[in-house]
Amino acid sequence: MPKNPLVHHPPWRQLLILSVVAPLIVGLAVLAFTWPASRTEARSLPVGVVGTGVAAQKAAEGLTSARPGAFDLHLYASDAEARSAIAHREVYGAFEVSSRHITFLTASAASPAVAQLLTSAAGAMAGQLSSTSRPTASVVQDVVPTSSEDPRGSTFAAAMTPLVLGGVILAVMVAVLVGFRPALREIVALAVVSCLAGASVHLVAQDYIGALPGNRIGTWASLSLMLFAISSFVAGMAALLGPGGVAVGAILMIFVGNPFAGVTSAPELMPSVVGQLGQLMPPGAGANLLRSAAYFDGHGAAQHAVVLGVWSVVGIAAILEGHRRVAHRHNARHSNDLLAESPFYEAMSDVTAESGVRT
């Protein structure tokens, strides 16, 4: 049973402190999850425009003037180039515009929210062109669709929070409840349980629910690396700071990394600092790595894998350092105990006592 940190206060003061601290914590937790969602809008969203004709130029001008700063436009000479850019996760979609029709190429697997936003933009663009020239038709083609079992991507998004919680739970089980020693054994244990937990999630999400199509090895490896990055960091904080380190790691992952990950939207739809920070933390990097493995044949995965690798290295280093400090304190205590039990120490104590010198 953990010691009550308020034990030195009378009960009425403990209740007063809890009445202030507990609502503040809950309010901050709600703010962390709701504030990014309430500020969702396009910010430098990578989008392609196909063609070099007058219609394509008008489309590009219309996008930039209608929403200044919303889109980061990339020009492509052909439909094939635009499709390749979408498949390689360079852009979220592309507008192919002519005087008669607009073909919007999207990738709902990259972000259903962005696909919906750009589809609406394509309809508005068609309406503007129709008002200035002959009627214009709008056609939407999903180049990289989500799984047929998860057409809105809701299952994919819903799995992220349990994954983050799972990484924290793995750290608590291995580093706190079981307390593997020495450090190398703890690191190996975290790696093993992360890989097995990743396989378990893979079986549920891909084989049972069908929300993760694509390369099986890639999706399993992405899940396992995400879980290991989270669990190793939390375990490292526990090794350095004690049980309080678990709270530090859990807060960073659950209440910062998870809501800032942009899983239900996209990093470019969130406030710029929040979106960038979210992709530098395991939940955001893990979600995008999983998207790349499941839907895009690994394209765009390298930077996210590097982020998870860095967090894993930091976690391993923290575990090693934390265990080294514990071993150092234990050895120092053990040496003092042996010294106190030695005849030489007793003889010196007698001499100093007789001479009036304190030991």
Side-chain angles (χ1 to χ4, degrees), residues 125-208:
M125 186 185 301
Q128 292 175 356
L129 293 176
S130 297
S131 63
T132 58
S133 60
R134 68 183 67 183
T136 304
S138 176
V139 179
V140 178
Q141 296 181 9
D142 201 344
V143 178
V144 187
T146 56
S147 168
S148 59
E149 302 295 330
D150 186 25
R152 298 180 182 85
S154 55
T155 303
F156 184 96
M160 287 301 111
T161 298
L163 273 172
V164 177
L165 288 171
V168 175
I169 292 171
L170 293 181
V172 172
M173 292 173 63
V174 171
V176 179
L177 295 182
V178 177
F180 277 100
R181 299 292 183 274
L184 182 59
R185 185 178 297 170
E186 180 175 315
I187 294 167
V188 171
L190 286 170
V192 170
V193 297
S194 294
C195 290
L196 293 176
S200 175
V201 175
H202 178 273
L203 289 173
V204 172
Q206 185 158 343
D207 293 314
Y208 181 70

Side-chain angles (χ1 to χ4, degrees), residues 19 35 48 54 110 112 120 141 151 179 189 197 216 223 256 265 272 284 305 321 323-324:
S19 299
W35 179 75
V54 176
S120 299
Q141 296 181 9
R216 288 179 174 272
L223 289 165
V256 179
S265 56
S272 57
E321 176 61 18
H323 282 250
R324 186 196 66 79

Side-chain angles (χ1 to χ4, degrees), residues 45 89 92 106-117 144 146 152 262-269 291 296:
L45 196 67
R89 303 201 70 182
Y92 281 95
T106 185
S108 59
S111 170
V114 171
Q116 184 178 4
L117 184 152
V144 187
T146 56
R152 298 180 182 85
V263 179
T264 58
S265 56
E268 293 84 0
L269 297 185
R291 285 191 193 276
F296 295 90

